Amino acid sequence: MLGAPCSAALERRAAVAERFGDEVARVLPQLRIDELLDELQVRLASVRSSRDRVAQLLEAVVGIGSGLDLEQALTRIVKAATTLVDARYGALGVIGGQSDAEQHLARFITVGLTEQQIAAIGAYPEGHGVLGEVIRHPQPLRTEELSAPPRSSGFPADHPPMHSFLGVPVRVRGEVFGNLYLTEKNGGVPFDADDESVLTALAAAAGVAIDNARLFEDSRRLAAEAQDLYAEARRRQDWLEITSELSRGLLSAEPSQDVLAAFVHRVRVLTRADLAVVAVPTPAGDGLEIVASDGQGADRLLNMMIGIEDTLAGRVYKSGVTAVVEDVRRDERAGQATIAAFGLGPALIAPLGAGGASRGALSLTRLAGSAPFDAELAQMTTELALQAALVLELAQRRRDSEQLSLYADRDRIARDLHDQAIQRLFGLSMSLQGAYQITQKPAVAKRIAQGIEDLDETIKVIRSTIFALGAHELDQNAPSLRAEVIEVCERATGTLGFSPAVRFTGPVDTLVDKSSAEHLVAVLREALSNTARHARATSVEVDLAADSAKVTLTVTDNGVGLPDGGRRSGLANLREGAEQLGGTFAAGPGPAGGTRLSWSVPAHA
């Protein structure tokens, strides 16, 4: 048995010597061919292993850089690390804290632990022991036993057993972002230098991926902030446009009713309210009148009178402080009848002005169940209302200036009428009276008498006109009845679509007491409102006459007339008010169609 291999070797040597010569046959056994072949196979296996790990590393690098979401990128990094070094557990600890002494693990992303294990362990580590060693000394760290002292600080209860450990810092733009921690290499073997090299390369690629994800998050945040700034600028531009439109409208010849209607519409749309109204104090100062409304039930609110002490709008007007109410149904200061009729909920009421200089109130409401008005919207609405109040003040000053100019023209016209027209008419009347006395023909005498009567009537009308032109010279602290009637008619222009014709006969300001004047203005307002809503008229005549016996207000339109069988509750209230003052009220067809309302009460000299 032992001789067989020797003889086989000798035979091989003889064959080699025969073929290549004795020298080759003598040297060949010294080359250890089998050992060299074994070593070559080992090296080839190592090259293949390195090739595979490089391929895995490249695949991992591509994988962790495939998305721009930071949270997903961190998780992908830990998973790639555990796969590359064949570890059972992996984690990425993100470092927090301003100074070196304050540095700790602010976040801890794990792979390999189940939800039940994480819950059993409790709080994540903060960076003590071996984990803290990598934080304090940011360089790769390998150990065969994680729990070996002095570096270890122990494990909490219910923590799974871990032995082999490999830690590598992750840097982003030269600063340590966190650390990769790998434990429990499969097979029970420790991590080697190749594992450390591969993980270090992965950590470098992870730093780039984290940086890209951060840049993406920053760009997305900046884009969102830019969009918010644009939206905020757009909102402020819309608010400024509302004020600008209000200024242009009120300072132009456009009717104030139309300007305020456009104003409340824009405000309602911008604030996402369901109803917006503007209420201003009445000439007497005893209440507020809704002069503009838009939205839910706006038509029924226009020209409505509301109190000051018993309404939210009145209290805001009086105090000059904005009120925000989450639900007016639960607020005792609100008018519950109006709330029930319109189904209102959240409300925002801002004063048109500040303190005692308020010129009214801007009220915004939403339907019940809607979201309340927030503090930012309340602030912007308050600022808009203040600007609107300034515009209203400027418009009022301009109207006052125009009114003074108008009064000066009226004074001049009144003087001219008195000094020239009436004197000439008197002279003409005296001449006709002289001719009447000497004429002998009855037909001529009749014509002269009619002419004298017409001249006397014309003189009365001119005198009434002169008195009306000088009405502004009365006490300015107590608005005259003429001025109130004219103001009511001017306000009704917007709803009627035209200006009512107004005529005064007699000294109405001196023969009508305060109580009768208040009733008269209310009757006129109601009459014009009914005409605007129901009559479809193209002209309205308002005639106010006063003498020593009675005061009579007549409102005549050319509309469709009173409907048969229609509601007469409003007319009944007017009749009742006249009777309480000892007067009468009548409503019927006009002389040329339409409707004629006549309200008459005794005069009080």
Side-chain angles (χ1 to χ4, degrees), residues 170-178:
V170 177
R171 288 180 169 84
V172 177
R173 295 179 180 266
E175 299 291 333
V176 177
F177 172 81

Side-chain angles (χ1 to χ4, degrees), residues 415-427 459 462:
R415 287 193 301 270
D416 291 344
L417 287 174
H418 182 271
D419 296 340
Q420 299 181 24
I422 289 183
Q423 296 301 326
R424 291 184 179 181
L425 289 174
F426 264 124
I459 291 172
I462 292 177

Side-chain angles (χ1 to χ4, degrees), residues 500-531:
V502 185
R503 185 174 67 177
F504 298 99
T505 303
V508 296
D509 288 318
T510 57
L511 294 179
V512 183
D513 62 5
K514 182 178 180 181
S515 176
S516 298
E518 291 177 354
H519 281 80
L520 187 149
V521 171
V523 170
L524 175 60
R525 187 181 290 111
E526 177 69 17
L528 294 177
S529 177
N530 289 338
T531 301

Side-chain angles (χ1 to χ4, degrees), residues 425 428-429 432 444-458:
L425 289 174
L428 179 58
S429 177
L432 289 175
V444 175
K446 184 177 180 180
R447 281 196 166 189
I448 293 175
Q450 183 63 45
I452 293 173
E453 185 176 347
D454 291 342
L455 286 174
D456 289 341
E457 184 65 26
T458 300

Side-chain angles (χ1 to χ4, degrees), residues 160-437:
M162 296 181 182
H163 300 283
S164 57
F165 172 83
L166 174 58
V168 174
V170 177
R171 288 180 169 84
V172 177
R173 295 179 180 266
E175 299 291 333
V176 177
F177 172 81
N179 298 311
L180 276 172
Y181 302 118
L182 286 304
T183 62
E184 278 307 283
K185 185 175 177 67
N186 290 321
V189 297
F191 296 101
D192 56 23
D194 289 341
D195 294 328
E196 181 179 322
S197 298
V198 170
L199 194 60
T200 302
L202 179 68
V208 175
I210 292 171
D211 189 31
N212 290 337
R214 276 177 158 184
L215 290 175
F216 175 73
E217 292 287 341
D218 291 342
S219 63
R220 188 163 58 180
R221 175 179 55 79
L222 291 174
E225 291 177 356
Q227 190 164 358
D228 291 342
L229 289 174
Y230 173 77
E232 177 67 18
R234 183 62 188 173
R235 282 195 299 269
R236 291 191 176 276
Q237 182 180 356
D238 290 339
W239 288 97
L240 292 175
E241 286 179 356
I242 291 177
T243 307
S244 178
E245 290 177 2
L246 181 64
S247 302
R248 286 195 302 269
L250 290 178
L251 298 178
S252 67
E254 190 175 352
S256 60
Q257 189 84 14
D258 295 344
V259 176
L260 290 175
F263 170 73
V264 295
H265 173 72
R266 286 291 303 275
V267 174
R268 184 187 67 79
V269 172
L270 194 59
T271 58
R272 296 183 178 87
D274 295 299
L275 176 64
V277 301
V278 168
V280 300
T282 60
D286 55 352
L288 298 177
E289 179 185 3
I290 297 177
V291 295
S293 59
D294 185 78
Q296 182 83 10
D299 293 340
R300 289 183 287 171
L301 291 174
L302 193 60
N303 298 325
M304 178 183 290
M305 305 294 296
I306 60 176
I308 293 179
E309 300 296 337
D310 57 348
T311 62
L312 271 173
R315 295 187 181 187
V316 169
Y317 158 72
K318 187 175 181 180
S319 66
V321 179
T322 299
V324 181
V325 182
E326 292 188 1
D327 193 344
V328 291
R329 294 174 299 178
R330 296 194 294 268
D331 196 305
E332 61 183 10
R333 299 171 298 173
Q336 296 301 320
T338 304
I339 294 169
F342 296 97
L344 303 178
L348 167 59
I349 304 97
L352 294 174
S358 177
R359 302 183 64 84
L362 169 63
S363 176
L364 305 172
T365 51
R366 292 172 178 166
L367 296 179
S370 302
F373 295 94
D374 56 38
E376 181 182 1
L377 189 59
Q379 178 66 26
M380 295 186 71
T381 304
T382 301
E383 293 175 1
L384 176 66
L386 287 173
Q387 294 174 3
L390 291 176
V391 174
L392 290 171
E393 177 69 22
L394 290 175
Q396 182 63 46
R397 295 292 178 87
R398 179 172 178 175
R399 285 194 296 269
D400 290 345
S401 177
E402 293 174 349
Q403 193 81 5
L404 291 175
S405 178
L406 178 62
Y407 287 160
D409 287 341
R410 288 181 176 181
D411 290 340
R412 178 183 55 78
I413 294 172
R415 287 193 301 270
D416 291 344
L417 287 174
H418 182 271
D419 296 340
Q420 299 181 24
I422 289 183
Q423 296 301 326
R424 291 184 179 181
L425 289 174
F426 264 124
L428 179 58
S429 177
M430 295 296 294
S431 299
L432 289 175
Q433 287 179 9
Y436 174 77
Q437 293 176 357

